[in-house]
Amino acid sequence: MKMDDDAPVIYGLEFQARALTAQTAETDAIRFLVGTQSLKFDNQIHIIDFDDENNMINKSVLLHDAGEIWHISGSPADKAVLTTCYSKTSENRVLTCAAVWRMPPEWESGSHESPDDSSNNPQTLELLCHLDNTAHGSVACVLWEPLGDGKRVISLAENHVLLWDLQESSTKATISSTATLEGKGQLKFTAGKWSPHHNSTQLVTANDTAIRGWDLRSMSQIYCIENAHGQLVRDLDFNPNKQYYLASCGDDCKVKFWDVRHINEPVKCLEEHSHWVWSVRYNHSHDQLLLTGSSDSRVILSNMVSISSEPFGHLVDDDDLSDNEENQQEDKGKEPLQDSIIATYEEHEDSVYAVEWSAADPWLFASLSYDGRLVINRVPRALKYRILL
């Protein structure tokens, strides 16, 4: 019997976990990568393949014996290559390090015959190179150049931005430029995002309650939103279709939307979660769709259509509207469509640390809670057709 198409599919990892990414370079198969956090056992990366036709999950397991995984990210150009940030103990202190890895050849093609055998006899990831420079301290995250050729990454370590060039098939990494966060307060990056706009020359970072924009050509700060949130900022994401629009979330339970040209106040603010918001993600194709995950154990799918690239139900670019045209639009009495909460998903029983859209199917997303529960859900079919038709 085929399940209801909108029903969630749940997978338990049997390990605690907080690191999730879609396999960015894989646009045919629906595939997510999850990194575990275990103190007792060797840590693992679970490759989760979702079979859309049969509503089933197939998993493969790779060993990551370097340590507990705090962050994971797939290369945009090579589906076999990924980065992890992981903790290791060095001289009686715990450091979070970063490295670039390659999956064994049979895994990248998805041609391994019996995926379940992999959990009994898992293969190990091949270490390509370290992105560590212990002088710079613990690494919060590694960001691949969006839409790039997989040759450039940024690591955020303590209060340093490090831009790396990957050479010789990613087996060698050299720092090409750096920037340092200076000033008062908690000078330690918690999150960052490399902008897909402006020819990949801009970066946004979070530290404490502040959000900062950087120009990667000069490695200088271009804007700063001092008290963007009342408490720590946890995550950031760029609107894929509107180059100046950015979403942020944090420990004040809020999700905020910014136009970085006017940083005095947010364009919009959502207050639907009742605890820290750890993760925010724009849909890659339909930017009115926004996912958030929180320590309240819930995932919320919002329809932020009024600040999307299609506020009237069709494509409109702010920059293309002259004052004259804007007045005409208003004269027609056309109201922007209303923002709304589409759905609240309550399949988790622990803090939801990560939400991610599939790179292959724009209507499908995964969420991960700390107890190792991965849930795959779809945008409700009725909304999907309303957006498409």
Side-chain angles (χ1 to χ4, degrees):
M1 190 179 89
K2 196 167 187 327
M3 287 173 61
D4 167 19
D5 270 0
D6 284 345
V9 179
I10 298 172
Y11 168 68
L13 269 83
E14 297 166 22
F15 289 103
Q16 291 177 325
R18 65 166 71 215
L20 167 71
T21 184
Q23 194 179 29
T24 323
E26 176 56 83
T27 51
D28 296 328
I30 297 166
R31 186 173 297 147
F32 296 95
L33 309 176
V34 183
T36 65
Q37 287 205 317
S38 168
L39 286 168
K40 293 183 187 162
F41 304 98
D42 277 338
N43 281 282
Q44 304 173 340
I45 284 176
H46 289 229
I47 304 168
I48 306 297
D49 277 293
F50 181 62
D51 174 351
D52 201 21
E53 282 186 16
N54 300 304
N55 235 36
M56 280 170 49
I57 280 174
N58 297 311
K59 63 138 194 197
S60 316
V61 177
L62 295 172
L63 275 184
H64 180 282
D65 44 22
E68 289 181 271
I69 302 169
W70 291 87
H71 185 268
I72 184 170
S73 190
S75 160
D78 185 338
K79 56 190 177 188
V81 174
L82 62 140
T83 55
T84 61
C85 301
Y86 58 91
S87 44
K88 75 169 189 185
T89 309
S90 166
E91 296 166 11
N92 295 333
R93 69 185 188 123
V94 178
L95 263 183
T96 308
C97 306
V100 185
W101 309 87
R102 179 175 282 282
M103 297 180 193
E106 60 270 32
W107 259 261
E108 56 185 279
S109 62
S111 64
H112 42 286
E113 284 174 18
S114 178
D116 287 336
D117 291 349
S118 68
S119 36
N120 306 327
N121 189 16
Q123 284 187 263
T124 305
L125 288 162
E126 176 196 350
L127 174 66
L128 293 179
C129 63
H130 289 285
L131 296 173
D132 295 341
N133 190 321
T134 40
H136 293 117
S138 281
V139 183
C141 59
V142 173
L143 314 167
W144 292 89
E145 180 178 17
L147 318 170
D149 55 5
K151 300 274 173 66
R152 294 207 305 165
V153 294
I154 287 171
S155 64
L156 299 180
E158 300 288 345
N159 62 329
H160 303 283
V161 179
L162 307 173
L163 180 57
W164 302 81
D165 285 329
L166 299 180
Q167 293 139 346
E168 296 164 30
S169 305
S170 301
T171 56
K172 187 178 169 203
T174 53
I175 295 176
S176 63
S177 48
T178 65
T180 305
L181 183 58
E182 289 161 351
K184 299 188 199 110
Q186 178 66 0
L187 298 177
K188 185 178 174 184
F189 292 120
T190 51
K193 209 70 180 197
W194 196 330
S195 171
H197 309 294
H198 313 288
N199 292 327
S200 300
T201 57
Q202 290 189 16
L203 167 77
V204 67
T205 60
N207 70 288
D208 199 15
T209 61
I211 295 172
R212 294 164 203 274
W214 303 80
D215 186 325
L216 295 172
R217 294 164 298 189
S218 57
M219 286 310 245
S220 58
Q221 201 171 291
I222 44 181
Y223 58 83
C224 177
I225 309 170
E226 283 289 357
N227 291 299
H229 284 263
Q231 294 176 51
L232 190 71
V233 182
R234 290 280 176 190
D235 199 18
L236 304 153
D237 201 20
F238 281 99
N239 183 315
N241 299 327
K242 296 185 77 170
Q243 58 182 334
Y244 300 109
Y245 275 64
L246 174 73
S248 63
C249 62
D251 286 1
D252 57 1
C253 315
K254 293 176 183 173
V255 179
K256 295 188 178 184
F257 300 87
W258 306 90
D259 177 340
V260 300
R261 296 166 298 184
H262 313 289
I263 56 175
N264 294 337
E265 56 183 311
V267 180
K268 264 296 198 247
C269 181
L270 282 179
E271 300 186 41
E272 298 295 328
H273 284 289
S274 57
H275 209 278
W276 304 346
V277 188
W278 284 88
S279 188
V280 59
R281 289 288 178 273
Y282 275 105
N283 185 291
H284 313 304
S285 308
H286 308 284
D287 59 273
Q288 67 263 53
L289 300 178
L290 188 99
L291 282 175
T292 51
S294 161
S295 294
D296 63 10
S297 309
R298 296 184 306 159
V299 173
I300 293 179
L301 175 61
S302 304
N303 190 13
M304 302 306 295
V305 68
S306 74
I307 51 172
S308 75
S309 55
E310 303 190 11
F312 301 96
H314 61 271
L315 204 62
V316 173
D317 189 334
D318 299 348
D319 299 339
D320 295 343
L321 284 178
S322 66
D323 292 343
N324 208 6
E325 285 175 306
E326 277 179 4
N327 293 340
Q328 282 176 3
Q329 290 256 344
E330 281 160 24
D331 290 346
K332 285 179 194 163
K334 254 205 154 186
E335 286 293 312
L337 301 171
Q338 290 296 302
D339 297 336
S340 61
I341 300 303
I342 298 160
T344 300
Y345 299 91
E346 305 200 349
E347 291 90 12
H348 292 283
E349 295 170 11
D350 204 343
S351 291
V352 179
Y353 281 139
V355 289
E356 290 288 349
W357 292 98
S358 160
D361 181 341
W363 308 105
L364 193 129
F365 58 91
S367 52
L368 176 70
S369 51
Y370 189 52
D371 54 7
R373 181 178 296 182
L374 180 89
V375 180
I376 292 180
N377 266 301
R378 295 178 181 85
V379 173
R381 196 188 295 188
L383 178 75
K384 171 179 166 178
Y385 291 130
R386 204 158 74 233
I387 289 172
L388 287 176
L389 300 175

